[in-house]
Amino acid sequence: MADKDDIKTGKDFGLGIRQKNKAFFLKGSGALDWGMQNRLARIFNPKSGRTVMLAFDHGYFQGPASGLERIDLSIAPLIPYADVLMCTRGVLRACVSSETNKPVVLRCSGGQSILSELSNETVAVDIDDAIRLNAAAITTQIYIGAPYEHQSIKNLIKLIDTGNRYGIPTLAVTGVGADMKRDARYFGLATRIAAELGAHYVKSYFVEEGFEQITAGCPVPIVIAGGKKLPELDALTMAYKAVDQGAAGVDMGRNIFQSDCPVAMIQAVSAVVHKGEKPKKALDMYNTLKARIEAKGKGKRKRKK
Ligand code: R5P
């Protein structure tokens, strides 16, 4: 029963002190509702305004790709160093501990494979299931200029509308088909279309020419995918250039989990993204951490013998 005795009348109203109405830190997100902003503030670090998303959703059309054969073994050790996990609901339920407090961006499209037309996707998760899984955001791919362009855009619109109903943001991924030109014109077009349709943030690829125009022309944050595996210094340089030219972080997969030392690589990427560490310094950090991890591994093996 509510206690009615001894109710003290409030006296401390801070008269003369204006109530603060702090602007939300994230580009293009100031007019969103509290739940939406709160989820985005879990994805993007409010201090740096950036994020390191660890992408391991590749299996939904690639099968057990290199580095993702055993997600319980390869991805679990990386989770403490990631800001966000991006994966499918199948892998989330089967291989990721529900005790993790990392926000999850849920892959909500599927229906194709590397053996068929990549743009032929459909929405593959119901919003009810995304809510059950406590998704911080939902995501699908749009394939601009591909055979199923219209269908993929419809998928995005559906996710945005259902997510808006429950305060769950949508990440639009700009998909690239095998024959598509990956230049600033293409990504400028694709990212802008996604934002205009209401995506809360957009994943693109980094391009050497004109990336700044892509981020400037997109009214919501852009994160970059890592793409195919590069030498560590090249991947760190790409991340550095991307954030320097307006990206709000990375959604990186292969350049982390296919690295010689993924645990060291994700920490080096994080230093670049959140602290603006220069690529060569970040590579030194990678090498130092890698040496430490390898020494520890050798020590353990010796003790076992
Ligand atoms: C495609 O499979 C997914 O959208 C990946 O999450 C995305 O391509 C990022 O992964 P990566 O850095 O390996 O390109």
Side-chain angles (χ1 to χ4, degrees):
M1 203 174 85
D3 192 353
K4 284 189 184 167
D5 296 336
D6 196 28
I7 294 173
K8 288 185 183 147
T9 307
K11 289 195 182 79
D12 190 6
F13 289 95
L15 298 182
I17 305 169
R18 273 182 75 165
Q19 181 175 320
K20 277 190 192 137
N21 199 6
K22 205 176 149 205
F24 190 60
F25 69 98
L26 202 63
K27 182 181 176 182
S29 313
L32 300 176
D33 192 21
W34 197 94
M36 196 71 95
Q37 290 186 344
N38 181 260
R39 288 186 177 89
L40 287 167
R42 294 184 65 218
I43 294 169
F44 293 91
N45 181 325
K47 276 196 193 131
S48 66
R50 294 176 181 163
T51 186
V52 174
M53 293 177 54
L54 176 63
F56 51 101
D57 58 327
H58 307 57
Y60 90 95
F61 71 100
Q62 290 183 10
S66 167
L68 295 180
E69 300 88 340
R70 286 284 304 272
I71 286 177
D72 57 326
L73 300 178
S74 60
I75 297 297
L78 307 178
I79 290 178
Y81 307 102
D83 296 319
V84 180
L85 312 178
M86 175 164 164
C87 61
T88 60
R89 62 177 168 185
V91 152
L92 188 65
R93 284 198 167 102
C95 309
V96 179
S97 165
S98 57
E99 287 169 25
T100 182
N101 58 4
K102 301 286 168 159
V104 170
V105 173
L106 195 64
R107 160 66 63 185
C108 291
S109 60
Q112 86 288 47
S113 82
I114 36 168
L115 306 179
S116 60
E117 169 53 44
L118 284 186
S119 64
N120 193 5
E121 277 198 335
T122 187
V123 171
V125 176
D126 195 90
I127 192 70
D128 295 6
D129 211 26
I131 293 167
R132 262 192 295 275
L133 288 165
N134 197 25
I138 48 184
T139 184
T140 185
Q141 224 132 251
I142 53 167
Y143 292 91
I144 303 302
Y148 292 88
E149 173 190 271
H150 181 65
Q151 185 178 307
S152 71
I153 292 176
K154 268 172 81 179
N155 295 341
L156 175 65
I157 294 168
K158 187 171 178 210
L159 281 200
I160 292 168
D161 279 332
T162 49
N164 279 350
R165 214 176 293 148
Y166 301 101
I168 301 182
T170 298
L171 162 66
V173 173
T174 56
V176 280
D179 308 322
M180 289 179 187
K181 212 171 174 203
R182 302 172 180 214
D183 60 11
R185 196 163 167 271
Y186 175 76
F187 289 118
L189 174 73
T191 54
R192 181 60 178 261
I193 289 173
E196 297 262 356
L197 291 173
H200 300 92
Y201 70 112
V202 184
K203 177 157 83 166
S204 178
Y205 287 82
F206 178 72
V207 289
E208 287 291 343
E209 293 291 317
F211 187 73
E212 227 164 353
Q213 278 88 330
I214 301 174
T215 55
C218 182
V220 294
I222 285 185
V223 292
I224 61 148
K228 66 176 195 300
K229 172 75 177 72
L230 302 168
E232 274 72 14
L233 180 59
D234 293 359
L236 293 166
T237 304
M238 177 174 67
Y240 180 85
K241 285 183 183 170
V243 293
D244 189 49
Q245 292 175 38
V250 299
D251 183 15
M252 203 174 254
R254 287 162 286 178
N255 276 292
I256 293 174
F257 61 70
Q258 290 178 356
S259 161
D260 282 347
C261 187
V263 169
M265 187 60 180
I266 193 169
Q267 291 180 75
V269 171
S270 189
V272 169
V273 169
H274 289 299
K275 296 184 185 144
E277 195 66 276
K278 293 266 163 46
K280 281 203 174 126
K281 274 211 151 180
L283 183 71
D284 290 344
M285 178 182 174
Y286 166 79
N287 284 326
T288 309
L289 287 169
K290 183 174 176 242
R292 215 177 283 160
I293 291 162
E294 282 170 358
K296 240 186 178 177
K298 270 184 199 156
K300 268 190 191 161
R301 278 194 296 278
K302 262 190 192 165
R303 279 195 296 279
K304 268 189 184 166
K305 276 182 189 169

PDB file of all heavy atoms in Angstrom, residues 169-200:
ATOM      1  N   PRO A 169      15.591   2.081 -34.255  1.00  0.00           N
ATOM      2  CA  PRO A 169      16.173   2.670 -35.468  1.00  0.00           C
ATOM      3  C   PRO A 169      16.521   1.633 -36.538  1.00  0.00           C
ATOM      4  O   PRO A 169      16.738   0.457 -36.226  1.00  0.00           O
ATOM      5  CB  PRO A 169      17.442   3.362 -34.967  1.00  0.00           C
ATOM      6  CG  PRO A 169      17.644   2.965 -33.567  1.00  0.00           C
ATOM      7  CD  PRO A 169      16.456   2.203 -33.080  1.00  0.00           C
ATOM      8  N   THR A 170      16.590   2.097 -37.761  1.00  0.00           N
ATOM      9  CA  THR A 170      16.953   1.230 -38.890  1.00  0.00           C
ATOM     10  C   THR A 170      18.273   1.693 -39.506  1.00  0.00           C
ATOM     11  O   THR A 170      18.447   2.868 -39.816  1.00  0.00           O
ATOM     12  CB  THR A 170      15.850   1.256 -39.978  1.00  0.00           C
ATOM     13  OG1 THR A 170      14.647   0.741 -39.403  1.00  0.00           O
ATOM     14  CG2 THR A 170      16.231   0.416 -41.186  1.00  0.00           C
ATOM     15  N   LEU A 171      19.167   0.729 -39.658  1.00  0.00           N
ATOM     16  CA  LEU A 171      20.411   0.957 -40.394  1.00  0.00           C
ATOM     17  C   LEU A 171      20.194   0.470 -41.828  1.00  0.00           C
ATOM     18  O   LEU A 171      19.820  -0.687 -42.042  1.00  0.00           O
ATOM     19  CB  LEU A 171      21.557   0.160 -39.747  1.00  0.00           C
ATOM     20  CG  LEU A 171      22.808  -0.054 -40.604  1.00  0.00           C
ATOM     21  CD1 LEU A 171      23.529   1.251 -40.880  1.00  0.00           C
ATOM     22  CD2 LEU A 171      23.779  -1.029 -39.907  1.00  0.00           C
ATOM     23  N   ALA A 172      20.414   1.356 -42.800  1.00  0.00           N
ATOM     24  CA  ALA A 172      20.340   0.938 -44.208  1.00  0.00           C
ATOM     25  C   ALA A 172      21.749   0.612 -44.680  1.00  0.00           C
ATOM     26  O   ALA A 172      22.662   1.419 -44.539  1.00  0.00           O
ATOM     27  CB  ALA A 172      19.766   2.067 -45.055  1.00  0.00           C
ATOM     28  N   VAL A 173      21.902  -0.589 -45.213  1.00  0.00           N
ATOM     29  CA  VAL A 173      23.200  -0.997 -45.756  1.00  0.00           C
ATOM     30  C   VAL A 173      23.149  -0.791 -47.265  1.00  0.00           C
ATOM     31  O   VAL A 173      22.208  -1.236 -47.920  1.00  0.00           O
ATOM     32  CB  VAL A 173      23.464  -2.492 -45.433  1.00  0.00           C
ATOM     33  CG1 VAL A 173      24.729  -2.978 -46.124  1.00  0.00           C
ATOM     34  CG2 VAL A 173      23.553  -2.705 -43.934  1.00  0.00           C
ATOM     35  N   THR A 174      24.141  -0.107 -47.798  1.00  0.00           N
ATOM     36  CA  THR A 174      24.166   0.055 -49.255  1.00  0.00           C
ATOM     37  C   THR A 174      24.910  -1.139 -49.855  1.00  0.00           C
ATOM     38  O   THR A 174      26.132  -1.242 -49.750  1.00  0.00           O
ATOM     39  CB  THR A 174      24.833   1.385 -49.663  1.00  0.00           C
ATOM     40  OG1 THR A 174      26.143   1.438 -49.107  1.00  0.00           O
ATOM     41  CG2 THR A 174      24.048   2.574 -49.176  1.00  0.00           C
ATOM     42  N   GLY A 175      24.142  -2.037 -50.428  1.00  0.00           N
ATOM     43  CA  GLY A 175      24.708  -3.270 -50.977  1.00  0.00           C
ATOM     44  C   GLY A 175      25.355  -3.003 -52.326  1.00  0.00           C
ATOM     45  O   GLY A 175      24.938  -2.101 -53.063  1.00  0.00           O
ATOM     46  N   VAL A 176      26.381  -3.769 -52.611  1.00  0.00           N
ATOM     47  CA  VAL A 176      27.020  -3.625 -53.921  1.00  0.00           C
ATOM     48  C   VAL A 176      27.042  -4.981 -54.625  1.00  0.00           C
ATOM     49  O   VAL A 176      27.520  -5.960 -54.070  1.00  0.00           O
ATOM     50  CB  VAL A 176      28.464  -3.065 -53.809  1.00  0.00           C
ATOM     51  CG1 VAL A 176      28.447  -1.566 -53.617  1.00  0.00           C
ATOM     52  CG2 VAL A 176      29.251  -3.728 -52.701  1.00  0.00           C
ATOM     53  N   GLY A 177      26.516  -5.009 -55.828  1.00  0.00           N
ATOM     54  CA  GLY A 177      26.572  -6.236 -56.618  1.00  0.00           C
ATOM     55  C   GLY A 177      27.961  -6.374 -57.226  1.00  0.00           C
ATOM     56  O   GLY A 177      28.751  -5.419 -57.226  1.00  0.00           O
ATOM     57  N   ALA A 178      28.253  -7.553 -57.753  1.00  0.00           N
ATOM     58  CA  ALA A 178      29.589  -7.847 -58.279  1.00  0.00           C
ATOM     59  C   ALA A 178      30.001  -6.872 -59.384  1.00  0.00           C
ATOM     60  O   ALA A 178      31.157  -6.453 -59.460  1.00  0.00           O
ATOM     61  CB  ALA A 178      29.619  -9.275 -58.794  1.00  0.00           C
ATOM     62  N   ASP A 179      29.053  -6.480 -60.248  1.00  0.00           N
ATOM     63  CA  ASP A 179      29.419  -5.657 -61.414  1.00  0.00           C
ATOM     64  C   ASP A 179      29.229  -4.161 -61.185  1.00  0.00           C
ATOM     65  O   ASP A 179      29.349  -3.370 -62.116  1.00  0.00           O
ATOM     66  CB  ASP A 179      28.562  -6.072 -62.627  1.00  0.00           C
ATOM     67  CG  ASP A 179      28.632  -7.571 -62.855  1.00  0.00           C
ATOM     68  OD1 ASP A 179      29.726  -8.124 -62.663  1.00  0.00           O
ATOM     69  OD2 ASP A 179      27.591  -8.167 -63.196  1.00  0.00           O
ATOM     70  N   MET A 180      28.913  -3.771 -59.965  1.00  0.00           N
ATOM     71  CA  MET A 180      28.597  -2.351 -59.759  1.00  0.00           C
ATOM     72  C   MET A 180      29.838  -1.510 -59.556  1.00  0.00           C
ATOM     73  O   MET A 180      30.804  -1.945 -58.943  1.00  0.00           O
ATOM     74  CB  MET A 180      27.698  -2.204 -58.555  1.00  0.00           C
ATOM     75  CG  MET A 180      26.321  -2.710 -58.806  1.00  0.00           C
ATOM     76  SD  MET A 180      25.389  -2.517 -57.313  1.00  0.00           S
ATOM     77  CE  MET A 180      23.909  -3.343 -57.775  1.00  0.00           C
ATOM     78  N   LYS A 181      29.759  -0.286 -60.052  1.00  0.00           N
ATOM     79  CA  LYS A 181      30.874   0.646 -59.898  1.00  0.00           C
ATOM     80  C   LYS A 181      30.836   1.199 -58.471  1.00  0.00           C
ATOM     81  O   LYS A 181      29.836   1.768 -58.043  1.00  0.00           O
ATOM     82  CB  LYS A 181      30.713   1.784 -60.906  1.00  0.00           C
ATOM     83  CG  LYS A 181      32.027   2.312 -61.382  1.00  0.00           C
ATOM     84  CD  LYS A 181      31.861   3.268 -62.532  1.00  0.00           C
ATOM     85  CE  LYS A 181      33.226   3.855 -62.828  1.00  0.00           C
ATOM     86  NZ  LYS A 181      33.136   5.121 -63.494  1.00  0.00           N
ATOM     87  N   ARG A 182      31.929   1.014 -57.740  1.00  0.00           N
ATOM     88  CA  ARG A 182      31.935   1.494 -56.355  1.00  0.00           C
ATOM     89  C   ARG A 182      32.619   2.852 -56.290  1.00  0.00           C
ATOM     90  O   ARG A 182      33.773   2.949 -55.902  1.00  0.00           O
ATOM     91  CB  ARG A 182      32.684   0.507 -55.462  1.00  0.00           C
ATOM     92  CG  ARG A 182      32.085  -0.882 -55.506  1.00  0.00           C
ATOM     93  CD  ARG A 182      32.959  -1.849 -54.767  1.00  0.00           C
ATOM     94  NE  ARG A 182      32.366  -3.180 -54.807  1.00  0.00           N
ATOM     95  CZ  ARG A 182      32.455  -4.042 -53.827  1.00  0.00           C
ATOM     96  NH1 ARG A 182      33.116  -3.753 -52.728  1.00  0.00           N
ATOM     97  NH2 ARG A 182      31.900  -5.230 -53.932  1.00  0.00           N
ATOM     98  N   ASP A 183      31.897   3.903 -56.675  1.00  0.00           N
ATOM     99  CA  ASP A 183      32.514   5.230 -56.615  1.00  0.00           C
ATOM    100  C   ASP A 183      31.634   6.187 -55.823  1.00  0.00           C
ATOM    101  O   ASP A 183      30.547   5.835 -55.354  1.00  0.00           O
ATOM    102  CB  ASP A 183      32.796   5.752 -58.028  1.00  0.00           C
ATOM    103  CG  ASP A 183      31.530   5.864 -58.869  1.00  0.00           C
ATOM    104  OD1 ASP A 183      30.414   5.748 -58.303  1.00  0.00           O
ATOM    105  OD2 ASP A 183      31.643   6.049 -60.091  1.00  0.00           O
ATOM    106  N   ALA A 184      32.125   7.420 -55.690  1.00  0.00           N
ATOM    107  CA  ALA A 184      31.427   8.406 -54.855  1.00  0.00           C
ATOM    108  C   ALA A 184      30.032   8.709 -55.409  1.00  0.00           C
ATOM    109  O   ALA A 184      29.101   8.944 -54.644  1.00  0.00           O
ATOM    110  CB  ALA A 184      32.254   9.681 -54.781  1.00  0.00           C
ATOM    111  N   ARG A 185      29.902   8.691 -56.712  1.00  0.00           N
ATOM    112  CA  ARG A 185      28.591   8.985 -57.301  1.00  0.00           C
ATOM    113  C   ARG A 185      27.580   7.916 -56.871  1.00  0.00           C
ATOM    114  O   ARG A 185      26.468   8.217 -56.465  1.00  0.00           O
ATOM    115  CB  ARG A 185      28.720   9.036 -58.828  1.00  0.00           C
ATOM    116  CG  ARG A 185      27.561   9.692 -59.462  1.00  0.00           C
ATOM    117  CD  ARG A 185      27.798  10.141 -60.887  1.00  0.00           C
ATOM    118  NE  ARG A 185      26.511  10.471 -61.479  1.00  0.00           N
ATOM    119  CZ  ARG A 185      25.743   9.601 -62.113  1.00  0.00           C
ATOM    120  NH1 ARG A 185      26.143   8.369 -62.273  1.00  0.00           N
ATOM    121  NH2 ARG A 185      24.567   9.976 -62.595  1.00  0.00           N
ATOM    122  N   TYR A 186      28.017   6.648 -56.965  1.00  0.00           N
ATOM    123  CA  TYR A 186      27.122   5.551 -56.595  1.00  0.00           C
ATOM    124  C   TYR A 186      26.765   5.596 -55.113  1.00  0.00           C
ATOM    125  O   TYR A 186      25.589   5.540 -54.726  1.00  0.00           O
ATOM    126  CB  TYR A 186      27.769   4.202 -56.947  1.00  0.00           C
ATOM    127  CG  TYR A 186      26.908   3.055 -56.456  1.00  0.00           C
ATOM    128  CD1 TYR A 186      25.743   2.712 -57.141  1.00  0.00           C
ATOM    129  CD2 TYR A 186      27.216   2.379 -55.286  1.00  0.00           C
ATOM    130  CE1 TYR A 186      24.916   1.714 -56.670  1.00  0.00           C
ATOM    131  CE2 TYR A 186      26.395   1.378 -54.814  1.00  0.00           C
ATOM    132  CZ  TYR A 186      25.249   1.047 -55.505  1.00  0.00           C
ATOM    133  OH  TYR A 186      24.420   0.078 -55.031  1.00  0.00           O
ATOM    134  N   PHE A 187      27.786   5.717 -54.249  1.00  0.00           N
ATOM    135  CA  PHE A 187      27.497   5.689 -52.808  1.00  0.00           C
ATOM    136  C   PHE A 187      26.795   6.974 -52.349  1.00  0.00           C
ATOM    137  O   PHE A 187      26.000   6.947 -51.412  1.00  0.00           O
ATOM    138  CB  PHE A 187      28.773   5.431 -52.003  1.00  0.00           C
ATOM    139  CG  PHE A 187      29.259   4.018 -52.154  1.00  0.00           C
ATOM    140  CD1 PHE A 187      30.499   3.744 -52.706  1.00  0.00           C
ATOM    141  CD2 PHE A 187      28.459   2.958 -51.772  1.00  0.00           C
ATOM    142  CE1 PHE A 187      30.933   2.437 -52.867  1.00  0.00           C
ATOM    143  CE2 PHE A 187      28.880   1.638 -51.928  1.00  0.00           C
ATOM    144  CZ  PHE A 187      30.124   1.380 -52.473  1.00  0.00           C
ATOM    145  N   GLY A 188      27.081   8.099 -53.045  1.00  0.00           N
ATOM    146  CA  GLY A 188      26.374   9.345 -52.734  1.00  0.00           C
ATOM    147  C   GLY A 188      24.885   9.174 -53.019  1.00  0.00           C
ATOM    148  O   GLY A 188      24.034   9.588 -52.227  1.00  0.00           O
ATOM    149  N   LEU A 189      24.591   8.522 -54.133  1.00  0.00           N
ATOM    150  CA  LEU A 189      23.193   8.279 -54.518  1.00  0.00           C
ATOM    151  C   LEU A 189      22.526   7.315 -53.529  1.00  0.00           C
ATOM    152  O   LEU A 189      21.453   7.596 -52.988  1.00  0.00           O
ATOM    153  CB  LEU A 189      23.196   7.667 -55.933  1.00  0.00           C
ATOM    154  CG  LEU A 189      21.871   7.201 -56.517  1.00  0.00           C
ATOM    155  CD1 LEU A 189      21.008   8.390 -56.909  1.00  0.00           C
ATOM    156  CD2 LEU A 189      22.119   6.324 -57.760  1.00  0.00           C
ATOM    157  N   ALA A 190      23.173   6.194 -53.275  1.00  0.00           N
ATOM    158  CA  ALA A 190      22.570   5.145 -52.442  1.00  0.00           C
ATOM    159  C   ALA A 190      22.367   5.616 -50.994  1.00  0.00           C
ATOM    160  O   ALA A 190      21.310   5.374 -50.398  1.00  0.00           O
ATOM    161  CB  ALA A 190      23.451   3.892 -52.479  1.00  0.00           C
ATOM    162  N   THR A 191      23.371   6.293 -50.427  1.00  0.00           N
ATOM    163  CA  THR A 191      23.246   6.712 -49.020  1.00  0.00           C
ATOM    164  C   THR A 191      22.175   7.792 -48.881  1.00  0.00           C
ATOM    165  O   THR A 191      21.403   7.793 -47.923  1.00  0.00           O
ATOM    166  CB  THR A 191      24.593   7.227 -48.461  1.00  0.00           C
ATOM    167  OG1 THR A 191      25.096   8.254 -49.315  1.00  0.00           O
ATOM    168  CG2 THR A 191      25.627   6.128 -48.362  1.00  0.00           C
ATOM    169  N   ARG A 192      22.116   8.680 -49.856  1.00  0.00           N
ATOM    170  CA  ARG A 192      21.123   9.760 -49.781  1.00  0.00           C
ATOM    171  C   ARG A 192      19.703   9.214 -49.923  1.00  0.00           C
ATOM    172  O   ARG A 192      18.785   9.620 -49.205  1.00  0.00           O
ATOM    173  CB  ARG A 192      21.418  10.797 -50.866  1.00  0.00           C
ATOM    174  CG  ARG A 192      20.488  11.985 -50.880  1.00  0.00           C
ATOM    175  CD  ARG A 192      20.523  12.763 -49.543  1.00  0.00           C
ATOM    176  NE  ARG A 192      19.661  13.911 -49.640  1.00  0.00           N
ATOM    177  CZ  ARG A 192      20.100  15.143 -49.888  1.00  0.00           C
ATOM    178  NH1 ARG A 192      21.402  15.381 -50.009  1.00  0.00           N
ATOM    179  NH2 ARG A 192      19.245  16.135 -49.995  1.00  0.00           N
ATOM    180  N   ILE A 193      19.522   8.262 -50.832  1.00  0.00           N
ATOM    181  CA  ILE A 193      18.193   7.656 -50.992  1.00  0.00           C
ATOM    182  C   ILE A 193      17.776   7.015 -49.667  1.00  0.00           C
ATOM    183  O   ILE A 193      16.657   7.199 -49.185  1.00  0.00           O
ATOM    184  CB  ILE A 193      18.201   6.613 -52.143  1.00  0.00           C
ATOM    185  CG1 ILE A 193      18.308   7.318 -53.497  1.00  0.00           C
ATOM    186  CG2 ILE A 193      16.956   5.736 -52.094  1.00  0.00           C
ATOM    187  CD1 ILE A 193      18.503   6.376 -54.688  1.00  0.00           C
ATOM    188  N   ALA A 194      18.695   6.287 -49.048  1.00  0.00           N
ATOM    189  CA  ALA A 194      18.373   5.603 -47.778  1.00  0.00           C
ATOM    190  C   ALA A 194      17.966   6.602 -46.704  1.00  0.00           C
ATOM    191  O   ALA A 194      16.976   6.404 -45.988  1.00  0.00           O
ATOM    192  CB  ALA A 194      19.580   4.792 -47.316  1.00  0.00           C
ATOM    193  N   ALA A 195      18.718   7.707 -46.601  1.00  0.00           N
ATOM    194  CA  ALA A 195      18.412   8.708 -45.569  1.00  0.00           C
ATOM    195  C   ALA A 195      17.086   9.400 -45.861  1.00  0.00           C
ATOM    196  O   ALA A 195      16.285   9.648 -44.957  1.00  0.00           O
ATOM    197  CB  ALA A 195      19.546   9.727 -45.491  1.00  0.00           C
ATOM    198  N   GLU A 196      16.836   9.704 -47.124  1.00  0.00           N
ATOM    199  CA  GLU A 196      15.580  10.387 -47.483  1.00  0.00           C
ATOM    200  C   GLU A 196      14.377   9.500 -47.158  1.00  0.00           C
ATOM    201  O   GLU A 196      13.313   9.982 -46.810  1.00  0.00           O
ATOM    202  CB  GLU A 196      15.574  10.737 -48.977  1.00  0.00           C
ATOM    203  CG  GLU A 196      16.668  11.713 -49.385  1.00  0.00           C
ATOM    204  CD  GLU A 196      16.205  13.156 -49.495  1.00  0.00           C
ATOM    205  OE1 GLU A 196      15.014  13.426 -49.324  1.00  0.00           O
ATOM    206  OE2 GLU A 196      17.083  14.015 -49.744  1.00  0.00           O
ATOM    207  N   LEU A 197      14.547   8.192 -47.265  1.00  0.00           N
ATOM    208  CA  LEU A 197      13.440   7.280 -46.970  1.00  0.00           C
ATOM    209  C   LEU A 197      13.237   7.104 -45.467  1.00  0.00           C
ATOM    210  O   LEU A 197      12.267   6.499 -45.037  1.00  0.00           O
ATOM    211  CB  LEU A 197      13.690   5.919 -47.633  1.00  0.00           C
ATOM    212  CG  LEU A 197      13.607   5.932 -49.166  1.00  0.00           C
ATOM    213  CD1 LEU A 197      14.027   4.596 -49.739  1.00  0.00           C
ATOM    214  CD2 LEU A 197      12.203   6.301 -49.629  1.00  0.00           C
ATOM    215  N   GLY A 198      14.182   7.618 -44.676  1.00  0.00           N
ATOM    216  CA  GLY A 198      13.994   7.593 -43.219  1.00  0.00           C
ATOM    217  C   GLY A 198      14.947   6.696 -42.458  1.00  0.00           C
ATOM    218  O   GLY A 198      14.760   6.502 -41.248  1.00  0.00           O
ATOM    219  N   ALA A 199      15.969   6.150 -43.126  1.00  0.00           N
ATOM    220  CA  ALA A 199      16.951   5.339 -42.384  1.00  0.00           C
ATOM    221  C   ALA A 199      17.620   6.228 -41.338  1.00  0.00           C
ATOM    222  O   ALA A 199      17.885   7.402 -41.598  1.00  0.00           O
ATOM    223  CB  ALA A 199      17.994   4.774 -43.346  1.00  0.00           C
ATOM    224  N   HIS A 200      17.879   5.663 -40.175  1.00  0.00           N
ATOM    225  CA  HIS A 200      18.439   6.470 -39.083  1.00  0.00           C
ATOM    226  C   HIS A 200      19.954   6.580 -39.171  1.00  0.00           C
ATOM    227  O   HIS A 200      20.538   7.501 -38.645  1.00  0.00           O
ATOM    228  CB  HIS A 200      17.995   5.898 -37.739  1.00  0.00           C
ATOM    229  CG  HIS A 200      16.502   5.911 -37.630  1.00  0.00           C
ATOM    230  ND1 HIS A 200      15.735   4.832 -38.017  1.00  0.00           N
ATOM    231  CD2 HIS A 200      15.660   6.890 -37.272  1.00  0.00           C
ATOM    232  CE1 HIS A 200      14.459   5.154 -37.871  1.00  0.00           C
ATOM    233  NE2 HIS A 200      14.375   6.379 -37.417  1.00  0.00           N
TER     234      HIS A 200
END
